[in-house]
Amino acid sequence: MDNIQIFDRKKSSYHNEQVMGENALRFLYDQGWARRLLLPLFTRSKWTSALFGWLQKTKRSKRKVGKFIDQFQINSNEFRKPIDEFTSFNDFFIRQLKEEARPIDLGSARLVMPTDGRILTFQPFIEGEGNEEEGIFVKGEVFSLFELLGEDPTLYEKYRGGALMICRLAPIDYHRFHFPCDGMLTEPRLVGKQYFSVNPIALTKNIHALSRNKRFISELKTDQYGDMAYVVVGATNVSSVVWTAEFNKRYKKGDEAGYFQFGGSTVVLVFEPGRVEFDRDILSHTEQRIEVLEQLGQGIATLQS
């Protein structure tokens, strides 16, 4: 089995990612017959996803919390409430953290991470036509910005050739997403019907999951960075996205926007051309196809000069 290498920027070190249910996922995606017969049932079905999400909200699921924390070495000192006060696994999953656990880089010209996760950054983002340096390629397939933005020609023309960041959340992560800078969030539009998994094993087989899954598309109106598309992508076993911010209201950098219920998922930010300059070390890792592990509030970009 190939290991999935991640660069932890905070620790300045590389490690192999622990994937929840890795053996089962590799079986489903690597075995031809399993991919054809079982994969649609376990990772693409709306009803299977909803049922699994419901089970994580039951009182019985609370028993998994301690074991999960130990297995993945999650720092419980960051939690706002004690472990024994979680009422279910989902209650733990959508946990809030102490404010000091995720300090926000408040430098005036710094864009920050909107959540915890593993990121790839592209600047500019150009949908490829056979050149592997252009766009995101998986087994010869190109990620479609047009599809990601709900096949909206106005949005596509506005953001094509701009910068793009993909932030993939794993089940072990803090699952609330925030504002990467000051701005006003427009009311989101819900598009997509699929429930493909967005774990790293699945994405190496099907990059189109990001642009075809059920997702919310908003725009964040900012003074510094212009407009940016804020896309919140659901996935297998993510029973719902909950918005905690009000729409068409201004918020400060680091304020909470919403959270994912049980599962792993993705936040994608898309910027107009000429607006942002991602940090060089992050871009360099993307060029090597290595995701960079970041935490909410860490600076990742500045205004493009």
Side-chain angles (χ1 to χ4, degrees), residues 11 23 29 31 44 47 55 95 108 118 129-130 139 143 149 152 172 177 184 192-193 195 211 275 288 297 300:
K11 296 179 180 178
N23 290 337
Y29 283 93
Q31 298 295 322
R44 301 175 189 173
W47 306 112
L55 290 172
R95 61 192 175 274
S108 60
R118 296 134 194 82
E129 296 180 356
K139 294 187 179 298
F143 173 76
L149 297 176
D152 183 320
I172 63 174
F177 50 91
M184 182 183 74
K193 297 179 180 180
Y195 290 85
S211 57
R275 291 291 187 174
Q288 300 171 62
I300 55 172

Side-chain angles (χ1 to χ4, degrees), residues 204-271:
T204 61
K205 307 292 183 182
N206 179 24
I207 192 65
H208 296 306
L210 296 179
S211 57
R212 295 176 183 172
N213 273 15
K214 198 169 183 179
R215 62 200 180 281
F216 288 95
I217 303 171
S218 300
E219 286 191 281
L220 185 58
K221 307 286 185 177
T222 81
D223 294 332
Q224 287 184 307
Y225 295 96
D227 294 348
M228 70 179 77
Y230 197 126
V231 185
V232 179
V233 185
T236 302
N237 300 330
V238 178
S239 53
S240 65
V241 171
V242 177
W243 294 94
T244 54
E246 296 178 36
F247 307 120
N248 301 312
K249 177 181 176 180
R250 289 195 65 82
Y251 284 90
K252 294 290 186 182
K253 181 194 298 186
D255 287 346
E256 184 182 298
Y259 59 85
F260 294 102
Q261 300 204 68
F262 179 77
S265 204
T266 302
V267 172
V268 182
L269 301 181
V270 192
F271 303 85

Side-chain angles (χ1 to χ4, degrees), residues 64-272:
K64 300 192 299 184
V65 173
K67 182 179 179 181
F68 189 86
I69 290 171
D70 291 340
Q71 180 181 354
F72 293 101
Q73 300 178 328
I74 298 171
N75 184 4
S76 60
N77 292 325
E78 296 179 340
F79 302 169
R80 238 183 234 189
K81 63 183 182 182
I83 295 172
D84 59 7
E85 289 187 14
F86 290 118
T87 58
S88 65
F89 191 81
N90 187 69
D91 189 35
F92 154 71
F93 189 81
I94 63 173
R95 61 192 175 274
Q96 294 178 303
L97 302 180
K98 297 172 183 175
E99 191 171 329
E100 61 270 23
R102 296 292 184 273
I104 307 298
D105 184 344
L106 295 176
S108 60
R110 291 291 279 167
L111 186 88
V112 303
M113 281 288 291
T115 185
D116 288 4
R118 296 134 194 82
I119 65 172
L120 295 170
T121 56
F122 301 85
Q123 181 189 333
F125 177 78
I126 302 169
E127 290 175 285
E129 296 180 356
N131 182 348
E132 201 165 279
E133 295 304 312
E134 298 176 343
I136 307 171
F137 276 72
V138 174
K139 294 187 179 298
E141 297 184 343
V142 186
F143 173 76
S144 170
L145 180 63
F146 184 63
E147 284 188 349
L148 175 75
L149 297 176
E151 300 184 353
D152 183 320
T154 302
L155 284 182
Y156 177 68
E157 289 300 323
K158 183 176 183 177
Y159 292 107
R160 66 183 300 190
L164 180 144
M165 183 197 80
I166 299 173
C167 178
R168 177 179 61 82
L169 287 74
I172 63 174
D173 291 327
Y174 167 70
H175 265 74
R176 291 176 181 259
F177 50 91
H178 297 244
F179 289 87
C181 61
D182 296 356
M184 182 183 74
L185 193 69
T186 64
E187 189 161 352
R189 179 166 61 102
L190 179 62
V191 300
K193 297 179 180 180
Q194 301 294 335
Y195 290 85
F196 293 109
S197 176
V198 294
N199 71 75
I201 296 170
L203 287 179
T204 61
K205 307 292 183 182
N206 179 24
I207 192 65
H208 296 306
L210 296 179
S211 57
R212 295 176 183 172
N213 273 15
K214 198 169 183 179
R215 62 200 180 281
F216 288 95
I217 303 171
S218 300
E219 286 191 281
L220 185 58
K221 307 286 185 177
T222 81
D223 294 332
Q224 287 184 307
Y225 295 96
D227 294 348
M228 70 179 77
Y230 197 126
V231 185
V232 179
V233 185
T236 302
N237 300 330
V238 178
S239 53
S240 65
V241 171
V242 177
W243 294 94
T244 54
E246 296 178 36
F247 307 120
N248 301 312
K249 177 181 176 180
R250 289 195 65 82
Y251 284 90
K252 294 290 186 182
K253 181 194 298 186
D255 287 346
E256 184 182 298
Y259 59 85
F260 294 102
Q261 300 204 68
F262 179 77
S265 204
T266 302
V267 172
V268 182
L269 301 181
V270 192
F271 303 85
E272 297 173 285

